[in-house]
Amino acid sequence: MNKLLQNVNLAGASLFLQILGGNQSLALPHISVPDISWVDWPAVKAAGFKVCIFDKDNTLCEPFALAVPPALLPSFSACRAEFGGNIVLYSNSAGLQQYDPQGVEAAALEAAFGVQVLRHKDKKPAGGCEELQQQFQCEPHEMVFVGDRYLTDVVFGNRHGMLTIRVAPLTSQGEPPTVVAARVLEDACVRRWSASGIKAPLQQLLPHDQCSRLVKQKQQEQQQDQEQ
């Protein structure tokens, strides 16, 4: 039953319904890339960001896996080299008081990935940023949130003024039907809003016209070639 409930995010669904008729920019990421290997981590650090927060499933690894795939490992290592101990996994299951009150799942992920897992009380995108501020002693606008979901990861990061980086999901295999359905809705809405000119909220450290410099130049050119 717990596993089933973990896939139901009523607070997130309620917030998304509010966004449909309100502040749609909250669902738009500052940066969209195919995966984390496109991110220039030294540039992110040089821009003034102090903390990097990762979603796990379909961002760092396939759902329920306990290792970063070889293709992404150099990028994750580069991020760790830049941010050191200021990297954390923010999960809607591991470390969440409702489902992992003793931190058993969180400890298993910490052992597998070698980074901290945030202990927190609310599912993304609901809740505040207090746990992160207390842990890292910096302001939310100095944090980066990296995830594959518009509804949870991007909205949470934007609500708190973080830089949001959205990656495409690594796979659709193994995802619960509720997540698959939510993705279809999210993707359709974001495409429509982007086409109408809506952009992510202003980020205190990085203006919109400078976000592209955090994407590796060679891969930017590759993406442009593909679009042409």
Side-chain angles (χ1 to χ4, degrees):
M1 179 61 72
N2 268 355
K3 289 295 182 183
L4 177 62
L5 292 175
Q6 286 175 23
N7 298 321
V8 177
N9 191 338
L10 296 180
S14 175
L15 187 53
F16 194 66
L17 289 174
Q18 294 176 39
I19 290 171
L20 286 175
N23 190 359
Q24 297 163 351
S25 66
L26 288 177
L28 277 290
H30 297 100
I31 298 170
S32 290
V33 289
D35 58 59
I36 65 168
S37 70
W38 289 60
V39 181
D40 187 335
W41 296 112
V44 174
K45 185 67 180 296
F49 295 100
K50 298 179 179 179
V51 174
C52 194
I53 307 157
F54 283 96
D55 173 57
K56 174 189 169 286
D57 288 343
N58 261 330
T59 297
L60 282 181
C61 62
E62 294 187 0
F64 311 113
L66 291 177
V68 178
L72 301 184
L73 193 54
S75 178
F76 188 52
S77 297
C79 181
R80 294 180 67 179
E82 292 297 325
F83 289 90
N86 284 356
I87 298 176
V88 68
L89 300 185
Y90 194 138
S91 169
N92 270 355
S93 53
L96 183 67
Q97 288 181 10
Q98 182 180 0
Y99 302 121
D100 188 24
Q102 305 303 319
V104 175
E105 289 188 36
L109 293 188
E110 288 172 338
F113 289 90
V115 296
Q116 303 173 70
V117 174
L118 185 72
R119 274 61 168 177
H120 57 291
K121 61 183 179 180
D122 295 307
K123 271 190 172 185
K124 300 170 292 182
C129 201
E130 295 81 7
E131 294 105 338
L132 289 164
Q133 288 178 273
Q134 291 171 5
Q135 184 161 332
F136 296 107
Q137 295 297 300
C138 68
E139 296 301 315
H141 71 267
E142 298 173 303
M143 302 177 185
V144 180
F145 204 111
V146 186
D148 64 298
R149 291 288 306 280
Y150 296 109
L151 172 59
T152 55
D153 306 316
V154 174
V155 171
F156 178 83
N158 282 340
R159 283 183 58 231
H160 297 293
M162 301 175 187
L163 176 73
T164 51
I165 300 177
R166 192 263 175 176
V167 297
L170 296 175
T171 181
S172 60
Q173 296 181 354
E175 287 199 317
T178 52
V179 173
V180 174
R183 282 195 191 280
V184 173
L185 175 61
E186 293 172 32
D187 290 349
C189 289
V190 168
R191 282 196 302 269
R192 179 177 179 180
W193 296 335
S194 296
S196 69
I198 297 174
K199 295 182 179 180
L202 292 176
Q203 212 287 322
Q204 189 168 332
L205 292 182
L206 198 68
H208 282 126
D209 60 0
Q210 295 185 31
C211 287
S212 62
R213 66 188 178 91
L214 303 187
V215 180
K216 291 181 179 178
Q217 185 64 37
K218 182 177 180 180
Q219 292 174 314
Q220 283 185 22
E221 294 170 355
Q222 176 185 339
Q223 188 175 39
Q224 290 170 358
D225 290 342
Q226 292 173 347
E227 292 172 350
Q228 294 173 357

